[in-house]
Amino acid sequence: MTHSEPPSHFSVLKTDPASAARRGELRTLHGNVRTPAFMPVGTQGTVKSLTPAQIRETGAQIILGNTYHLNLRPGAETVRALGGLHAFMGWDGPILTDSGGFQVFSLSKLRKITETGISFASHLDGARITLTPQSCLGIQSALGSDIAMVLDICPPFPAEKKDVADAVRTTLRWAREFLDRATDTGFLAAGHHVFGIVQGGVYADLRRECAETLAQADFPGFAIGGVSVGEPEPEMLAQVAASAPFLPLSKPRYVMGVGTPPQLLKMIALGADMFDCVMPTRLARHGTAFTPDGTINIKNEKYKLAAAPLVEGLDNYVCRNFSRAYLRHLYMAGEMLSCSLLSIHNIHFFQDLMRQAREHIEAGDFTPWSRAWCARYEAGEAARKKEAAGKN
């Protein structure tokens, strides 16, 4: 099966001599994305607590929305009637929409998988909703997604190999149906992209089979799914390593739903180009901020009189203007501004890390730089955990 697609939508501009890391550029209807890239998560048409202008100021190039949630409310046709998701939420950059397949994992008590799709009981009111490859594309088309993800099945961890093999078989069939529909409806010809998703759990042979089969089709890009679903970090990295080498070098590779800053750098070294994760904003809402020396808990008493910024010299709005003491005060007082400011900082921290990664790939020293960066961060995290354990 082959399908036509717009030519040269992704370019590899530089590769790292000591790893599979690469710097590239992905072209979409709403702008170009420099890779490696991190996507803030805007599940329901918003990155929690931030305006589009604030998101843009963090350096974010592309954001993620969720098909399942947006179709429940306000509804895909409502979004279409109001000009599409870009106009609806006031974001003029690229948007990638997940398919809803992850809800098979996260809402497992509310769903049923059949040969034709996934039947959900809405977590809002219990109404039955069915996603098929065809309806999933229709929803994402109504949203106006720049990048649409195929409908897939994300197995839990742990899972028996037979169950994972069945999930891979269904995922591959749905991917073909999704791509056929995207071609027949003109979605691809209009300049939108569709990414196939590699599944296979912790089984390297299934990962390879899935990746090689998807690679035979002309997907504009590929994702590595089913990672960070409860498995240990070494297993997660092994799954990326078992998938990426069998995907086309000329297409972008997106690892879904990850990860910590060191995990991102380690996956870039394995050949990954794009990432998304709720971690920056979710941890911000709990008073946690990222620094090059690991995370800090702004609630700690030791920050009550701390006049320093979260990260000295980091050029973002929060570090230029506010002290750790002020941020602690906001959090302890229950002020909403705490969530916004910590989210701005955390998202910018991830964007700045991607910027540094691109620059070091370009300079040819990504491998030693990333190893040193991870060592510093992980040493700081170990010290923080040791300190916290000593207080308990």
Side-chain angles (χ1 to χ4, degrees):
M1 174 184 65
T2 59
H3 296 271
S4 61
E5 60 172 271
S8 303
H9 66 282
F10 181 71
S11 301
V12 176
L13 304 175
K14 188 78 173 183
T15 57
D16 176 52
S19 73
R22 71 252 192 98
R23 184 177 71 83
E25 185 172 74
L26 172 63
R27 285 168 282 284
T28 80
L29 290 172
H30 286 86
N32 298 344
V33 179
R34 300 178 301 280
T35 64
F38 179 85
M39 298 180 284
V41 175
T43 299
Q44 303 198 73
T46 174
V47 177
K48 291 187 186 301
S49 82
L50 301 184
T51 67
Q54 289 170 322
I55 299 166
R56 184 67 79 179
E57 190 176 351
T58 67
Q61 307 170 77
I62 176 173
I63 62 175
L64 179 142
N66 184 273
T67 295
Y68 169 80
H69 288 284
L70 289 169
N71 191 45
L72 286 185
R73 60 181 178 195
E77 291 306 319
T78 296
V79 175
R80 188 205 298 270
L82 292 167
L85 187 55
H86 296 83
F88 187 57
M89 67 178 292
W91 170 260
D92 62 1
I95 297 175
L96 180 149
T97 47
D98 196 356
S99 67
F102 183 72
Q103 275 64 48
V104 174
F105 170 77
S106 63
L107 302 178
S108 59
K109 295 181 180 179
L110 303 176
R111 54 77 174 157
K112 179 181 179 181
I113 302 172
T114 68
E115 285 295 308
T116 57
I118 307 166
S119 176
F120 292 91
S122 166
H123 70 285
L124 298 178
D125 59 11
R128 297 305 300 185
I129 301 161
T130 299
L131 277 179
T132 66
Q134 295 78 13
S135 69
C136 183
L137 175 66
I139 294 165
Q140 294 182 82
S141 179
L143 296 175
S145 310
D146 293 277
I147 302 172
M149 303 304 299
V150 301
L151 186 64
D152 65 326
I153 298 176
C154 176
F157 175 85
E160 296 294 330
K161 188 171 185 178
K162 179 185 181 301
D163 295 333
V164 177
D166 288 343
V168 167
R169 175 183 57 81
T170 302
T171 290
L172 288 172
R173 181 162 51 78
W174 287 354
R176 289 191 293 269
E177 293 175 10
F178 195 104
L179 191 59
D180 285 342
R181 184 69 172 171
T183 301
D184 294 343
T185 59
F187 186 78
L188 286 175
H192 303 275
H193 300 319
V194 170
F195 280 20
I197 302 176
V198 178
Q199 293 289 353
V202 298
Y203 303 102
D205 58 333
L206 294 179
R207 287 268 171 193
R208 177 171 182 170
E209 175 189 346
C210 192
E212 289 182 334
T213 303
L214 286 172
Q216 295 172 11
D218 289 333
F219 284 98
F222 299 88
I224 299 171
V227 299
S228 192
V229 292
E231 76 278 17
E233 180 179 297
E235 286 281 7
M236 180 184 70
L237 295 173
Q239 292 174 65
V240 176
S243 306
F246 305 105
L247 296 172
L249 291 170
S250 61
K251 304 289 181 69
R253 304 166 183 155
Y254 158 37
V255 183
M256 305 177 74
V258 294
T260 67
Q263 287 170 353
L264 299 186
L265 293 182
K266 291 171 185 177
M267 287 184 284
I268 289 171
L270 294 172
D273 304 301
M274 300 168 64
F275 312 93
D276 80 280
C277 191
V278 298
M279 189 180 301
T281 47
R282 178 172 290 170
L283 291 188
R285 296 194 296 275
H286 295 280
T288 297
F290 288 88
T291 82
D293 296 299
T295 56
I296 65 170
N297 186 336
I298 203 66
K299 302 187 290 289
N300 286 350
E301 181 74 16
K302 65 181 178 180
Y303 300 124
K304 185 174 183 178
L305 296 174
L310 290 171
V311 179
E312 198 73 55
L314 188 60
D315 189 20
N316 68 41
Y317 175 75
V318 180
C319 290
R320 289 194 304 267
N321 291 284
F322 306 107
S323 66
R324 293 184 177 190
Y326 179 67
L327 295 170
R328 180 183 185 276
H329 157 68
L330 291 177
Y331 187 88
M332 300 303 289
E335 288 290 340
M336 290 186 290
L337 184 58
S338 166
C339 178
S340 296
L341 293 181
L342 289 175
S343 294
I344 289 170
H345 168 80
N346 284 350
I347 292 176
H348 176 265
F349 185 86
F350 276 60
Q351 298 302 333
D352 189 69
L353 181 62
M354 295 297 100
R355 176 192 62 79
Q356 293 181 65
R358 294 192 296 266
E359 290 180 353
H360 285 282
I361 293 170
E362 183 66 29
D365 64 350
F366 171 81
T367 294
W369 167 78
S370 63
R371 287 175 179 168
W373 198 100
C374 290
R376 175 182 172 182
Y377 183 96
E378 289 168 347
E381 281 290 271
R384 177 185 62 80
K385 291 175 182 177
K386 183 178 180 180
E387 179 185 6
K391 292 180 179 179
N392 294 331

